[in-house]
């Protein structure tokens, strides 16, 4: 058990160190006020509105901002739906709209944004009480000439997790640092990201000692190993 604990700690540290070094910050997520959202953050949305078609919808309010990317850079949004209790999740970016009703990994078509800030138009259309949890990540690409054109991977931008809630906020799960409803190795990675970025997000204080440090990483790993 101790060997497994040590391995998980070393693996998470190595993985997150690489992730932190590889983040392309030429594009970032911003909120409604165009404030930059920290990489790895979890945002809860529970304001229910009615759209022009009369459907209930919860908007994310997220946009992508160009922080000085080269003119020949394209991007697409990769998104992982880890929970969708009912209804559908929609994302429109950069030029096309995708609608999903099941968990899974998805991505938008590549394209360019032609303004400094572009709304992602990511929203959940709930049909009953529940939650929808989606993690979004930016991928940057270069476009090669030819027909059809070829898009080659350039880098990965920041990641943000959206937690849409209808019917009241869910009880928090201890150790669920990334807010996807489960406690696993991705929470260890998210925990180390919080430490590397000197975040003061209270969700990262897993052991409740008022500090965010390696002790919280160990606490998440203990939760994983105990199965609680």
């Amino acid at each position: 058990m101790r060997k497994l604990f040590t391995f998980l700690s070393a693996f998470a540290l190595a993985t997150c160190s690489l992730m932190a070094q590889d983040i392309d910050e030429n594009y970032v997520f911003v909120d409604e006020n165009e404030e930059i959202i920290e990489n790895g953050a979890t945002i809860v949305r529970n304001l229910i509105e009615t759209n022009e078609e009369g459907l209930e919808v919860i908007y994310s309010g997220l946009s992508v901002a160009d922080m000085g990317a080269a003119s020949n850079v394209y991007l697409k949004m990769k998104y992982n739906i880890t929970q969708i209790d009912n209804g559908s999740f929609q994302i429109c970016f950069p030029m096309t709209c995708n609608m999903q009703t099941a968990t899974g990994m998805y991505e938008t078509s590549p394209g360019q944004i032609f303004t400094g800030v572009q709304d992602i138009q990511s929203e959940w259309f709930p049909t009953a009480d529940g939650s929808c949890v989606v993690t979004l990540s930016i991928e940057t690409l270069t476009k090669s000439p030819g027909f059809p054109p070829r898009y080659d991977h350039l880098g990965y931008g920041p990641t943000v997790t959206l937690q849409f809630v209808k019917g009241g906020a869910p009880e928090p799960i201890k150790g669920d640092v990334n807010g996807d409803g489960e406690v696993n190795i991705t929470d260890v990675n998210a925990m180390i990201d919080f430490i590397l970025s000197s975040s003061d997000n209270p969700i990262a204080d897993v052991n409740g000692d008022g500090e965010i440090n390696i002790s919280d990483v160990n606490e998440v790993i203990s939760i994983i190993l105990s199965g609680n």
Side-chain angles (χ1 to χ4, degrees), residues 10-213:
F11 173 78
L13 282 167
T15 301
C16 286
S17 295
L18 289 172
M19 288 173 61
Q21 293 172 4
D22 291 342
I23 293 297
D24 180 352
E25 296 182 350
N26 286 311
Y27 292 100
V28 296
F29 290 107
V30 297
D31 61 18
E32 299 94 325
N33 301 315
E34 297 189 9
E35 296 290 331
I36 295 176
I37 298 172
E38 181 181 359
N39 176 43
T42 296
I43 299 173
V44 178
R45 297 288 191 237
N46 55 17
L47 177 62
I48 300 174
E49 302 183 46
T50 302
N51 67 5
E52 295 177 352
E53 288 75 34
L55 299 174
E56 286 191 339
V57 58
I58 302 178
Y59 297 103
S60 72
L62 290 189
S63 297
V64 169
D66 184 344
M67 305 300 287
S71 60
N72 63 339
V73 173
Y74 288 71
L75 67 160
K76 62 183 176 182
M77 201 65 57
K78 303 175 80 70
Y79 58 106
N80 181 19
I81 302 176
T82 55
Q83 180 179 352
I84 184 164
D85 294 333
N86 51 70
S88 56
F89 172 76
Q90 175 176 268
I91 183 169
C92 299
F93 186 84
M95 301 296 291
T96 57
C97 291
N98 296 354
M99 183 80 78
Q100 311 295 346
T101 58
T103 58
M105 296 284 296
Y106 305 95
E107 60 182 37
T108 65
S109 300
Q112 290 182 298
I113 62 175
F114 297 101
T115 59
V117 178
Q118 180 171 321
D119 185 2
I120 301 176
Q121 299 182 45
S122 51
E123 53 231 3
W124 179 43
F125 296 90
T127 56
D129 289 356
S131 295
C132 175
V133 180
V134 184
T135 298
L136 305 174
S137 180
I138 299 169
E139 181 180 9
T140 55
L141 310 106
T142 56
K143 181 180 178 181
S144 300
F147 184 82
R150 190 184 78 227
Y151 295 92
D152 297 315
H153 172 77
L154 186 61
Y156 287 111
T159 295
V160 64
T161 296
L162 294 168
Q163 184 174 14
F164 300 93
V165 180
K166 180 184 178 183
E171 288 294 322
I173 301 173
K174 183 178 180 182
D176 182 20
V177 180
N178 65 2
D180 66 357
E182 300 180 0
V183 182
N184 51 39
I185 192 64
T186 61
D187 294 293
V188 178
N189 292 339
M191 185 69 252
I192 296 176
D193 278 342
F194 278 126
I195 296 173
L196 293 176
S197 63
S198 300
S199 171
D200 59 357
N201 192 322
I203 197 173
D205 183 18
V206 181
N207 63 4
D209 65 355
E211 298 181 359
I212 299 174
N213 51 36

